[in-house]
C-alpha cells in the first residue's frame, strides 16, 4: 500500500515543481545569450533568428495548454502533471543533444508542450486541494517555483559559462550550454516519482462519482482524517450541490463555456494572463542580458543574476499575505508600479542613450547604448530591479491564482486552459518580437509596455472583483451578484455558516459508509412539519431558471 502525503503545503509546494520547469526554461535561454559558445555554435546574433528560437518554447506551451484540459478531465489532474514530466524529460534531452537550430527548436517545442500542460493543471490541482483560507497562498507557490527555477538554472548557466575558457573565449566549447540544458531533467524526474505519493484532487474524484475517495481525501487534507468533522461534511455538501446543479443543466462542458454568464469570467481570466505578459516582464526575464549590455554594465550576467534573486525573495511576501491583502489590490497597485518603472527607464535611455557605434563585437545584438553616463546606467538597472520586485509581489503570483479559482468545476480545466493558452500566445509573440523591437525602436519599447500597464489598471479596476475568503463553489455568487467589481460582495463564506449549522445540529449530513454516496437529511424541531428546502437548493433552482 502506497503511503499518501496529506499536508496541503507539502502537496501544493511539491506540485509547484511543475512551475519550476517553466522557470528553468526561461533561464536556460537568457543565461546562454552572453556566451561565445552559444553565439558561435548556433550562429545567432539577436534579431529574428534568436526570437524564433526563444518563441519555440511558448509556441509549444500554447498547444500544450489547450490540450491539457481534455487529459486532466479524463485521467485526473495528478496523472496529467506526471505525463507533463515525461514530456519535459524528452524535450530536455533533445535540447542538450542538439546539433543545430532545427533540433534545438524541436526540443524547445517539446519542452513547451510540457510547460503548457503543467502551468495549466498545477494551479487547478492546488486550488482544488487547498482550503479557502490559504488557497491564494498555496496556488501562488506556482509563481515562487517559477522564480526559483529561473534563479537556480541561471546560476547553473553562469557557472557553466566559465567552462572552455569563459564566456568571452571565441573557442568556448558547447559544454557551456549542454550541461545546463541536460540538468533540467533532474526536477522533472523528482516530480514524476514524487507524485506517486500524493492524492488525486478530491473535486475531480467527486466529478467521477468516487465519493468515498473524495470525502476521505478531503478529511485527510483538512481535518486529520475525520470524515465526520463538520467542516468536511459542509465541504461535501457544497461540492455535491454544485455538481448536482451542473448536471441538472445537462450541458456539455464545451457548451457551458459559451454561456453569457461564463464568457465574462473566461474573458477576465484570459485578460489577466494577457496583461501579465504585456506588463513587460518578458523583456526583463528573457532578454535581461541585452538590457544590461545596453546600459553599459561590465558584467551583465552577474548583474542580471541579482534581478533573479530579487524575483525569488519578493514573491515570498505575496505568498504569505495574498489571502490577507486580496487579489484585486495587488493587480491594481502592481500595474501602476510597473508602468512607472518602465516609463522612467525608457525616459533615461531616450534622453542619455545613442545609437550603438558598433565598436564592440560583444554588443552586436543591440542598437542603443548608454556610454559615459554611469549614474544613468545605475538608474536603469535600479528601475529594472524595482520593476521585477513589483511584478514579483503583485502580478506574478496573482495571475496564476485568480484564473484557477473563478470557474465552476465542470468547465474549470477547459477555462483555465484557455486563460493559460492566452499567456503562452502572448509569450510566444513577445519572445519573437522583443529582439527586433529592441533593435529597431530601442527605448520606445519601454513606453509601449508602460502604456499596456496603464490600460491593464483600468481594465482590472472595472472587471476584477475580489475573491479572497470564498470557496470555489461560491464563485458564482461573487460574479453573478450584480455588483460592480469595485464593490465587494458581503464578507463571510457560506461554507462557514453551513459548518456552524451542522455543528449546532440544525442540519444533519451523514458521512459516507464504504463506497456509498452520502445521504443528506435536515433535522427539524417537529417530525410532523415537512423540512424546508436548504438555502443552497433554492439558490440552485433560481440559477437554473435564469441560466436556461
Amino acid at each position: 500500500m502506497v503511503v499518501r502525503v496529506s499536508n496541503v503545503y507539502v502537496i501544493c509546494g511539491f506540485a509547484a515543481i511543475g512551475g519550476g520547469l517553466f522557470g528553468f526554461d526561461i533561464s536556460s535561454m537568457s543565461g546562454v545569450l552572453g556566451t561565445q559558445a552559444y553565439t558561435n555554435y548556433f550562429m545567432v546574433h539577436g534579431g529574428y533568428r534568436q526570437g524564433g528560437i526563444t518563441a519555440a518554447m511558448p509556441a509549444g506551451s500554447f498547444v500544450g495548454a489547450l490540450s491539457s484540459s481534455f487529459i486532466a478531465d479524463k485521467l485526473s489532474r495528478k496523472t496529467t502533471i506526471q505525463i507533463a514530466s515525461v514530456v519535459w524529460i524528452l524535450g530536455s534531452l533533445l535540447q542538450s543533444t542538439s546539433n543545430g537550430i532545427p533540433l534545438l527548436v524541436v526540443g524547445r517545442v517539446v519542452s513547451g508542450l510540457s510547460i503548457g500542460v503543467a502551468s495549466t493543471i498545477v494551479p487547478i490541482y492546488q486550488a482544488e486541494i487547498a482550503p479557502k483560507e490559504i488557497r491564494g497562498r498555496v496556488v501562488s507557490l506556482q509563481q515562487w517555483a517559477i522564480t526559483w527555477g529561473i534563479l537556480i538554472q541561471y546560476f547553473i548557466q553562469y557557472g557553466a559559462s566559465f567552462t572552455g575558457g569563459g564566456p568571452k573565449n571565441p573557442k568556448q566549447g558547447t559544454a557551456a550550454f549542454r550541461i545546463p540544458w541536460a540538468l533540467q531533467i533532474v526536477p522533472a524526474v523528482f516530480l514524476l516519482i514524487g507524485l506517486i505519493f500524493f492524492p488525486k484532487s478530491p473535486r475531480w474524484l467527486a466529478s467521477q462519482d468516487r465519493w468515498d475517495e473524495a470525502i476521505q481525501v478531503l478529511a485527510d487534507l483538512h481535518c486529520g482524517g475525520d470524515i465526520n468533522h463538520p467542516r468536511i461534511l459542509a465541504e461535501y455538501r457544497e461540492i455535491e450541490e454544485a455538481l448536482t446543479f451542473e448536471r441538472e443543466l445537462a450541458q456539455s462542458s464545451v457548451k457551458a463555456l459559451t454561456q453569457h454568464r461564463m464568457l465574462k469570467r473566461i474573458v477576465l481570466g484570459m485578460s489577466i494572463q494577457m496583461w501579465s505578459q504585456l506588463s513587460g516582464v518578458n523583456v526583463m526575464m528573457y532578454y535581461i542580458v541585452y538590457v544590461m549590455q545596453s546600459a553599459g554594465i561590465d558584467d551583465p550576467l552577474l548583474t542580471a543574476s541579482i534581478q533573479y534573486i530579487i524575483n525569488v525573495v519578493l514573491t515570498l511576501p505575496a505568498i504569505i499575505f495574498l489571502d490577507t491583502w486580496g487579489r484585486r489590490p495587488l493587480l491594481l497597485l502592481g500595474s501602476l508600479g510597473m508602468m512607472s518603472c518602465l516609463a522612467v527607464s525608457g525616459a533615461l535611455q531616450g534622453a542619455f542613450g545613442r545609437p550603438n557605434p558598433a565598436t564592440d563585437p560583444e554588443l552586436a545584438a543591440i542598437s542603443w547604448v548608454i556610454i559615459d553616463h554611469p549614474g544613468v546606467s545605475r538608474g536603469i538597472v535600479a528601475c529594472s530591479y524595482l520593476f521585477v520586485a513589483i511584478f514579483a509581489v503583485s502580478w506574478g503570483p496573482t495571475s496564476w491564482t485568480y484564473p484557477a479559482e473563478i470557474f465552476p468545476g465542470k468547465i474549470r480545466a477547459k477555462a483555465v486552459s484557455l486563460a493559460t493558452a492566452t499567456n503562452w500566445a502572448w509569450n510566444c509573440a513577445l519572445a519573437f518580437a522583443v529582439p527586433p523591437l529592441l533593435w529597431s525602436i530601442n527605448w520606445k519599447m519601454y513606453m509601449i509596455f508602460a502604456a499596456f500597464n496603464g490600460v491593464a489598471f483600468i481594465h482590472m479596476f472595472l472587471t476584477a472583483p475580489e475573491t479572497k475568503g470564498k470557496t470555489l463553489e461560491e464563485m458564482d455568487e461573487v460574479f453573478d451578484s450584480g455588483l460592480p467589481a469595485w464593490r465587494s460582495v458581503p464578507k463571510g463564506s457560506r461554507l462557514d455558516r453551513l459548518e456552524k449549522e451542522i455543528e449546532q445540529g440544525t442540519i444533519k449530513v451523514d458521512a459516507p459508509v464504504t463506497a456509498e454516496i452520502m445521504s443528506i437529511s435536515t433535522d427539524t424541531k417537529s417530525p410532523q412539519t415537512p423540512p424546508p428546502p436548504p438555502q443552497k437548493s433554492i439558490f440552485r433552482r433560481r440559477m437554473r431558471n435564469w441560466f436556461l
Side-chain angles (χ1 to χ4, degrees):
M1 180 179 179
V2 178
V3 177
R4 299 293 182 189
V5 178
S6 58
N7 185 284
V8 174
Y9 286 103
V10 173
I11 294 171
C12 295
F14 192 87
I17 293 176
L21 301 181
F22 176 21
F24 265 75
D25 188 86
I26 290 175
S27 280
S28 73
M29 187 50 61
S30 63
V32 301
L33 293 179
T35 65
Q36 291 295 311
Y38 175 81
T39 302
N40 294 334
Y41 188 82
F42 293 105
M43 299 300 293
V44 176
H45 299 281
Y48 287 107
R49 177 173 290 189
Q50 178 57 52
I53 294 173
T54 306
M57 187 276 293
S61 299
F62 175 78
V63 177
L66 288 178
S67 62
S68 62
S69 63
F70 300 97
I71 306 172
D73 285 339
K74 181 75 173 178
L75 301 180
S76 84
R77 287 41 167 148
K78 186 182 85 167
T79 302
T80 303
I81 299 171
Q82 289 178 300
I83 293 172
S85 302
V86 175
V87 177
W88 174 266
I89 292 171
L90 175 60
S92 298
L93 286 171
L94 292 173
Q95 290 181 71
S96 60
T97 59
S98 59
N99 58 359
I101 290 179
L103 187 56
L104 174 61
V105 169
V106 170
R108 286 183 61 78
V109 169
V110 173
S111 292
L113 289 170
S114 167
I115 296 172
V117 172
S119 61
T120 301
I121 304 305
V122 168
I124 295 175
Y125 180 66
Q126 294 167 322
E128 291 183 345
I129 278 179
K132 63 181 178 59
E133 292 83 2
I134 62 170
R135 187 177 62 244
R137 182 179 303 170
V138 297
V139 176
S140 61
L141 290 173
Q142 160 92 346
Q143 176 64 19
W144 204 35
I146 292 174
T147 65
W148 272 109
I150 293 171
L151 180 66
I152 293 171
Q153 177 70 335
Y154 189 87
F155 277 112
I156 292 174
Q157 285 280 6
Y158 184 71
S161 70
F162 291 99
T163 63
K168 297 184 179 181
N169 181 8
K171 295 183 179 180
Q172 185 183 33
T174 60
F177 58 81
R178 294 195 191 279
I179 292 175
W181 290 349
L183 288 177
Q184 294 180 125
I185 295 172
V186 175
V189 172
F190 276 110
L191 183 61
L192 174 64
I193 297 174
L195 281 173
I196 295 173
F197 304 98
F198 290 79
K200 288 182 168 65
S201 161
R203 286 174 169 83
W204 180 84
L205 290 169
S207 71
Q208 305 298 307
D209 288 328
R210 294 161 63 174
W211 287 104
D212 54 331
E213 296 176 71
I215 194 73
Q216 189 61 60
V217 170
L218 280 173
D220 292 340
L221 293 173
H222 300 169
C223 291
D226 182 5
I227 63 173
N228 293 306
H229 193 283
R231 168 53 64 97
I232 299 305
L233 299 178
E235 285 189 279
Y236 157 72
R237 182 161 183 169
E238 287 278 282
I239 295 171
E240 189 273 339
E241 288 280 0
L243 283 173
T244 301
F245 170 60
E246 292 168 1
R247 288 170 178 174
E248 285 177 355
L249 295 176
Q251 289 180 326
S252 67
S253 58
V254 175
K255 183 178 180 181
L257 286 171
T258 63
Q259 297 298 318
H260 172 75
R261 60 188 291 266
M262 286 302 151
L263 281 176
K264 179 175 67 173
R265 270 184 262 183
I266 292 170
V267 170
L268 177 59
M270 295 172 68
S271 297
I272 286 177
Q273 291 286 20
M274 177 188 73
W275 292 127
S276 175
Q277 290 301 311
L278 292 178
S279 67
V281 69
N282 247 307
V283 182
M284 301 303 178
M285 292 300 171
Y286 281 122
Y287 301 112
I288 185 60
V289 172
Y290 289 167
V291 174
M292 296 301 176
Q293 287 177 336
S294 178
I297 303 302
D298 292 332
D299 192 345
L301 288 175
L302 181 60
T303 308
S305 68
I306 298 173
Q307 174 171 284
Y308 296 134
I309 295 174
I310 293 172
N311 196 22
V312 170
V313 173
L314 268 295
T315 302
L316 191 56
I319 294 174
I320 297 173
F321 298 110
L322 183 59
D323 289 302
T324 303
W325 295 341
R327 286 66 157 152
R328 181 177 167 84
L330 291 181
L331 291 173
L332 297 177
L333 294 176
S335 295
L336 289 177
M338 291 187 292
M339 177 182 68
S340 302
C341 292
L342 289 170
V344 172
S345 182
L348 288 175
Q349 294 185 57
F352 296 96
R354 65 183 186 183
N356 185 1
T359 57
D360 187 349
E362 292 185 13
L363 303 180
I366 57 177
S367 64
W368 195 261
V369 293
I370 305 294
I371 300 176
D372 297 330
H373 292 289
V376 173
S377 296
R378 287 192 292 270
I380 293 171
V381 173
C383 285
S384 299
Y385 290 165
L386 185 58
F387 172 91
V388 170
I390 294 172
F391 180 85
V393 81
S394 60
W395 275 82
T398 309
S399 63
W400 293 109
T401 302
Y402 201 93
E405 64 185 5
I406 64 175
F407 302 108
K410 188 178 185 69
I411 66 168
R412 185 173 296 127
K414 290 181 174 61
V416 175
S417 73
L418 288 174
T420 308
T422 303
N423 177 299
W424 291 115
W426 284 102
N427 191 310
C428 178
L430 292 172
F432 183 76
V434 165
L437 279 175
L438 276 172
W439 179 267
S440 58
I441 63 174
N442 37 74
W443 63 271
K444 301 181 189 69
M445 186 185 67
Y446 293 83
M447 300 303 187
I448 294 174
F449 284 113
F452 284 147
N453 280 288
V455 177
F457 171 85
I458 298 172
H459 187 193
M460 293 300 101
F461 179 81
L462 295 175
T463 63
E466 184 56 67
T467 59
K468 72 172 183 177
K470 302 293 184 181
T471 66
L472 297 180
E473 288 70 37
E474 291 178 286
M475 291 301 161
D476 284 346
E477 296 180 11
V478 172
F479 283 89
D480 299 331
S481 66
L483 296 173
W486 57 89
R487 291 183 58 189
S488 300
V489 296
K491 292 184 179 181
S493 170
R494 188 175 63 241
L495 178 67
D496 296 332
R497 295 191 295 270
L498 181 57
E499 179 186 359
K500 186 175 181 180
E501 290 175 347
I502 294 173
E503 191 172 6
Q504 293 174 343
T506 307
I507 294 178
K508 183 180 178 182
V509 179
D510 296 326
V513 180
T514 65
E516 290 183 84
I517 297 178
M518 291 188 289
S519 62
I520 299 177
S521 62
T522 304
D523 285 344
T524 60
K525 295 182 179 179
S526 172
Q528 288 79 23
T529 304
Q535 180 180 358
K536 177 65 177 178
S537 298
I538 296 173
F539 170 76
R540 189 177 71 229
R541 289 200 300 270
R542 289 175 179 173
M543 288 296 295
R544 182 177 67 248
N545 294 337
W546 178 84
F547 190 81
L548 294 174

